[in-house]
Amino acid sequence: MARDKLSAVHVRQSPAGKYGDGGGLWLLKKDKDVGSWMFRVSVHGRLRHMGLGSISDVSLAEARAAAAKWRTVAREGLDPIQERERQRREAGRNLHLLADVAADAFEARKADLKGEGKAGRWFSPLEIHVLPKLGKYPVSNIDQIAIRDALKPIWKTKAATAEKALQRLSIVMNHAAALGYPVDIQACLKAKALLGGQGRQVENIPSLPWQDVPDFYASLSDGSTTHLALRLLILTGLRSAPVRMMRVEHVVGDVLTVPADLMKGRKGEAKAFRVPLAPEAMLLIEEAKRQARDGLLFPSPRGGVLSDMSLSRLMERREMEARPHGFRSSLRVYLAENSCPRDVGEMILAHSVMGKVEASYQRSDLLAVRRPWLERWARFVTTGRDMPTEIPASAEVVALVAKQEGAA
């Protein structure tokens, strides 16, 4: 079959009509200036007509090259139109950027995250340490080498953060696979093998020895929101968030009820937590109510919730190694060294001490049992003197639990 019958001049100047170039390539002109390319080929006895683009976008040379490509495909027994669509779909999958897939994975997990991930702690390891380097790459191009190179600078210096970033990235890669993108879901595991050991030990948040807590507590004396919040954090053994976000209605009588969404734990698993308030804590709350705003006991001077950093920075400015969260450790050691039963001490800090089956039968939160220990701690913190109160003996603890369960 004769080929290459057309020339560039023919393409530009031919009037409306149909012109063959040979080899199945045709020029279809609507008028002198408008036309398109068409490739015609027989596949398994079926005649196929395949558009190759407008003459304004595709030159004669490009049309001939495309026709040659699809003739080869047809000789292999494949339908050129179907094969082109398959290649387009695959190219589309390969263009999904890691940053976009990561954002989609985060959206899919929000319902299971505390506060729907608004604090940013789930996404921040990716956002800070992975996406700036790999976010603009197609997710299908992300391999263990790229992951290793992205995390290597922090793998040993910021070991815990690097581990979180790798774990989050693994979730994103699995999410991409679920969407049908061609990714290597083992890439993160391979990258971890390439990165090697971290040579680290888990470091606990620095805390004050419990014997030094009274002096620090006494120094929080200016009545500011930050000082009051830190004082209540120390007295109750709570984490920062439940204290900073405490509302007036959370306190009824001498009991503070922390809502489930302010407690640590996965969404749906965390439960509301009752805290028995010592007399010293009640006086502090009454003082805080005078500065309450919009129902918040400890509002920020600029409006909204008091920042977590405002508590930490106070201690930083005093050149202290200890941090607010460390007062939970101070309290726990105090309780242990003063013979508080282990389970009671753990429950004071809202730690789980029971399995699911046991918890289904043990419904008491040991509020009455926890109260004298927190009252003793509060008296020590505020006076500097440890004055043991009447703590229930083991048999009395059992009786108190049974009494509380009966009330429930």
Side-chain angles (χ1 to χ4, degrees), residues 98 100-109 122 139 168-181 183 185:
L98 178 65
D100 297 331
V101 178
D104 191 57
F106 179 47
E107 285 294 325
R109 293 183 62 83
W122 192 92
V139 68
R168 307 290 199 270
L169 182 56
S170 179
I171 291 172
V172 171
M173 297 295 278
N174 279 279
H175 185 79
L179 289 171
Y181 305 154
V183 297
I185 60 174

Side-chain angles (χ1 to χ4, degrees), residues 342-343 346-347 349-356 359:
R342 176 189 174 279
D343 285 1
E346 291 297 288
M347 291 190 74
L349 296 180
H351 289 161
S352 175
V353 295
M354 296 176 287
K356 290 184 178 179

Side-chain angles (χ1 to χ4, degrees), residues 131-145:
L131 297 184
K133 298 177 180 178
L134 302 179
K136 293 183 180 180
Y137 283 80
V139 68
S140 59
N141 290 354
I142 305 298
D143 61 12
Q144 63 268 28
I145 304 299

Side-chain angles (χ1 to χ4, degrees), residues 368-399:
V369 180
R370 290 185 284 127
R371 182 180 294 280
W373 286 103
L374 279 176
E375 290 179 350
R376 176 175 172 177
W377 167 248
R379 283 198 298 273
F380 167 70
V381 167
T382 55
T383 66
R385 298 189 303 275
D386 194 16
M387 297 178 288
T389 189
E390 186 176 343
I391 304 295
S394 298
E396 294 175 292
V397 169
V398 174

